[in-house]
Amino acid sequence: MEGSISRFLLLVFSLLSVVQAIDPFTYDNDTFILHGEPYLLRGGQMDPQHIPHELWPDRLEKARGMGLNTIFSYVFWDQLEPTQGSWDNTGNNDIAKYFRLAQEKGLNIILRPGPYVCAEHEWGGFPAWLSEIPGMVVRDNNKPFLEASKAFINRLAEEVGDLQVTNGGPILMVQIENEYGSYGSDHEYLGALKDIFTAAFDVPFYTNDGGSQAMLEGGQISGVLAETDGDVYDGFAARDKYVTDPTSLGPQLDGEYYITWLDQWASNYTHKSNVGDKEATDKITKDIKWLLNNNGSFNLFMFHGGTNWGFQNGADWADALQPITTSYDYGAPLDETGRTNEIYHAIRETIGAIIGEDKLPALPAEQPLIEIPSVKLTPSVDIFDSLPKPIEKEFPVNMEAVGQATGLILYRHVTTTPVSGTIKTGDRPRDRVLVYVNKSRVGVIDGTYASPSTVNVDLKEGDVLDILVENLGRVNYGPEIVDQRKGIVGNVTVGESVLSKWAIYPLPLSSPPDSTDSKTPLKPSATSGPIFFTGSFDLDKVGDTFLELPGWTKGVVWVNGVNLGRYWVVGPQQSLYLPWCYLRESDNKITVLALEPTGTDSSVRGVTSRSWGNNPDPDAP
């Protein structure tokens, strides 16, 4: 008898193990199910590559503390595979570590790997080297694109496959593509992606599209759960109305419930935030309450936006380039510095009232921000005096053709035959073009304007024409995404003359130059070439701060070798977030690249509260 009972119990446990192994996370017509129990996704978007990895535990604890149980996470292909076939899973790119930390904090993961993610990120997450693959068409049923995407997804699965819920990990579900219905309706392409994902992952899949008939029908994949983003009421109604394939129906999820919106660099673009707006905050909490009471799952976009470190920012397009700011604050419940605000606490109170306040863990302490007294910087290196070995070409080539993704690229032509007239840089000014004659700036052709300034030159024999192009960020959304080559695409003309024989200098700015590179004492002026300024400072105690650059026009900042991102006087961002983990108590090194020295820019400072605002563009047409 005892043996029979033992065999029976063994059979029961075996059956339970089989069920658990097959479907630890699934769904029926209206409910997600985790380990056999109903599971409502109380989610928030928080992408690891936007956050210093030293700060991941704090941010995840605050997500749990607000009442979230799930983190939605993009991963950025360009950061993980910066050159084809190379993989960087260190530091902020250690996605597996981030997911393990989330699980330790009691959070599950929804993985959003793209391969296109948008995210206001450089080229929507695509690596720049895709541009140089013959026949490449992104987001298309295109063999080169699908082969590159397959290699990326398979390599990502090697990193995080063991962290799927089917293996006891936190990854519950994986999104295929992103808002494809806003872009196209090629279902052969979507089917090919589904095959790639199915071979790499063994958890449920879903799609995320806007709540209209065209978007849903364009982005739906048979056999894959269809979800919507944006307005919760219209989106849910649209999904049930326009998605008729029963294999794509199931519980409702607002895949991106927008807390506020993004910011763009422009003198007339004001900072977007609902912090301090009671009416907007009340609507957010009303919608969340409705979702929780009506079996609706959600992803707060963004819960925490973080920062577009270095050159991670993308750009929109509307008759001209609209680059995204370095800050990705997004007016989120957890601001760029990881501090809570009134929206955070209002959401926490709303969730706590429904699930029970006793289920909300205590919040980690927030340390005060610090001030850094004004630090005087010294002009140290003229960019024209620290150029790498040139690449000689008969005619200009684009940035990607010389193996470069981001930063600056300089095109130099020495005049052999006098020529004068309007200068045109390729098919169009793809970014921001600074023009110099004999190292003196003569004009700026800015692709952020639909009708940029006209620059005329009068070149004599022996004159040196320098064209410096700054990659302001590749377009991350819309039809312009197809061709995002940077630098100069096409020939340079002056008047009717096509200029030939060019020396091309890639300047990716992976790190600032050594200040000892300077060959002569520098005296910046309003027409100088770009100059690196350097300085140092000590601290009594490290802490977060906002770095302000009063009097500076445009450029890039490094602190202790870390690229904090771009600054630009036009706004709306007027300071850069500098986290404690990038500081030390003694001998902090700061480098500021001034693309347009004014002759008066000389100091920076750290402040405890940031200001947003706009200023006229000194280079406006």
Side-chain angles (χ1 to χ4, degrees), residues 52-341:
H53 62 92
E54 297 91 340
L55 307 182
W56 289 347
D58 172 81
R59 306 310 193 248
L60 291 165
E61 286 176 16
K62 287 172 178 171
R64 192 77 180 92
M66 198 178 77
L68 302 185
N69 59 13
T70 307
I71 295 297
F72 286 66
S73 176
Y74 286 134
V75 293
F76 304 138
W77 182 1
D78 66 317
Q79 302 295 300
L80 290 168
E81 193 178 8
T83 58
Q84 189 172 14
S86 68
W87 192 266
D88 180 4
N89 60 358
T90 63
N92 300 349
N93 291 328
D94 192 346
I95 308 300
K97 179 180 179 180
Y98 180 71
F99 290 174
R100 285 192 295 269
L101 279 170
Q103 187 173 31
E104 290 173 12
K105 303 297 182 183
L107 294 160
N108 291 307
I109 294 290
I110 302 296
L111 175 59
R112 310 179 73 191
Y116 165 78
V117 297
C118 185
E120 289 71 59
H121 186 85
E122 244 272 329
W123 206 13
F126 293 141
W129 50 262
L130 288 179
S131 291
E132 291 305 298
I133 296 177
M136 173 64 65
V137 182
V138 299
R139 302 190 82 184
D140 187 82
N141 190 35
N142 168 270
K143 184 177 179 181
F145 178 66
L146 290 173
E147 287 177 345
S149 297
K150 181 178 180 179
F152 164 62
I153 293 298
N154 287 346
R155 183 65 180 82
L156 179 63
E158 290 179 21
E159 291 289 318
V160 302
D162 288 346
L163 296 173
Q164 296 176 93
V165 68
T166 47
N167 297 316
I171 301 174
L172 304 181
M173 193 159 58
V174 177
Q175 181 181 312
I176 300 176
E177 242 273 357
N178 188 37
E179 296 179 325
Y180 179 71
S182 301
Y183 180 80
S185 57
D186 184 345
H187 289 276
E188 289 187 4
Y189 161 60
L190 293 177
L193 276 186
K194 178 186 175 184
D195 291 343
I196 291 170
F197 277 65
T198 301
F201 298 103
D202 56 6
V203 293
F205 302 118
Y206 77 106
T207 56
N208 181 63
D209 285 290
S212 74
Q213 182 175 1
M215 292 175 182
L216 282 163
E217 291 178 351
Q220 177 196 343
I221 305 173
S222 184
V224 174
L225 181 62
E227 301 290 9
T228 56
D229 60 22
D231 181 83
V232 57
Y233 312 103
D234 291 345
F236 283 11
R239 202 286 300 266
D240 285 346
K241 180 177 181 180
Y242 299 123
V243 176
T244 57
D245 181 347
T247 68
S248 292
L249 292 173
Q252 292 274 19
L253 162 67
D254 191 332
E256 291 183 9
Y257 177 90
Y258 301 114
I259 294 293
T260 313
W261 201 240
L262 54 94
D263 285 329
Q264 299 170 351
W265 290 116
S267 59
N268 60 353
Y269 194 100
T270 57
H271 172 55
K272 301 297 184 288
S273 177
N274 285 324
V275 176
D277 185 335
K278 185 179 185 304
E279 183 179 351
T281 302
D282 287 347
K283 182 179 188 311
I284 292 169
T285 56
K286 169 181 167 289
D287 291 348
I288 290 173
K289 183 177 180 180
W290 183 89
L291 284 161
L292 293 174
N293 287 327
N294 288 275
N295 205 33
S297 291
F298 58 84
N299 171 28
L300 302 179
F301 196 97
M302 300 289 297
F303 163 69
H304 175 56
T307 306
N308 287 311
W309 303 107
F311 305 119
Q312 286 192 32
N313 70 279
D316 288 327
W317 180 273
D319 298 324
L321 195 70
Q322 299 175 323
I324 308 300
T325 55
T326 298
S327 172
Y328 198 54
D329 180 86
Y330 216 90
L334 208 62
D335 71 15
E336 186 180 3
T337 73
R339 284 162 175 78
T340 62
N341 56 36

Side-chain angles (χ1 to χ4, degrees), residues 400-450:
E400 299 80 4
V402 296
Q404 184 181 350
T406 55
L408 310 172
I409 186 166
L410 177 68
Y411 300 84
R412 174 168 288 176
H413 168 80
V414 179
T415 307
T416 56
T417 302
V419 62
S420 63
T422 299
I423 186 167
K424 293 185 178 179
T425 55
D427 57 353
R428 56 183 168 85
R430 290 184 166 237
D431 283 281
R432 198 160 175 276
V433 182
L434 291 88
V435 182
Y436 305 84
V437 175
N438 299 326
K439 299 185 180 180
S440 179
R441 189 171 74 249
V442 296
V444 178
I445 308 170
D446 192 339
T448 66
Y449 293 94

Side-chain angles (χ1 to χ4, degrees), residues 467-547:
I467 300 173
L468 184 66
V469 184
E470 177 190 3
N471 174 1
L472 290 172
R474 291 177 176 83
V475 170
N476 54 258
Y477 184 84
E480 294 289 331
I481 202 171
V482 172
D483 178 10
Q484 283 303 301
R485 290 171 293 170
K486 291 295 189 175
I488 295 176
V489 179
N491 289 326
V492 174
T493 60
V494 173
E496 299 299 319
S497 300
V498 176
L499 303 187
S500 60
K501 299 193 181 305
W502 291 87
I504 302 173
Y505 301 86
L507 301 168
L509 303 179
S510 304
S511 59
D514 190 321
S515 60
T516 60
D517 289 349
S518 180
K519 296 179 174 60
T520 57
L522 300 177
K523 296 181 179 180
S525 71
T527 60
S528 296
I531 291 175
F532 292 93
F533 290 71
T534 58
S536 63
F537 58 93
D538 297 331
L539 295 170
D540 294 330
K541 182 180 180 181
V542 300
D544 291 351
T545 191
F546 294 109
L547 203 65

Side-chain angles (χ1 to χ4, degrees), residues 1-15:
M1 181 67 176
E2 184 177 335
S4 298
I5 293 173
S6 297
R7 286 192 295 274
F8 174 74
L9 290 174
L10 181 61
L11 176 61
V12 170
F13 286 130
S14 297
L15 289 172

Side-chain angles (χ1 to χ4, degrees), residues 34-57:
L34 178 61
H35 302 310
E37 298 293 331
Y39 185 80
L40 206 58
L41 280 76
R42 303 190 304 271
Q45 186 79 27
M46 186 164 65
D47 309 318
Q49 291 151 299
H50 276 155
I51 309 165
H53 62 92
E54 297 91 340
L55 307 182
W56 289 347

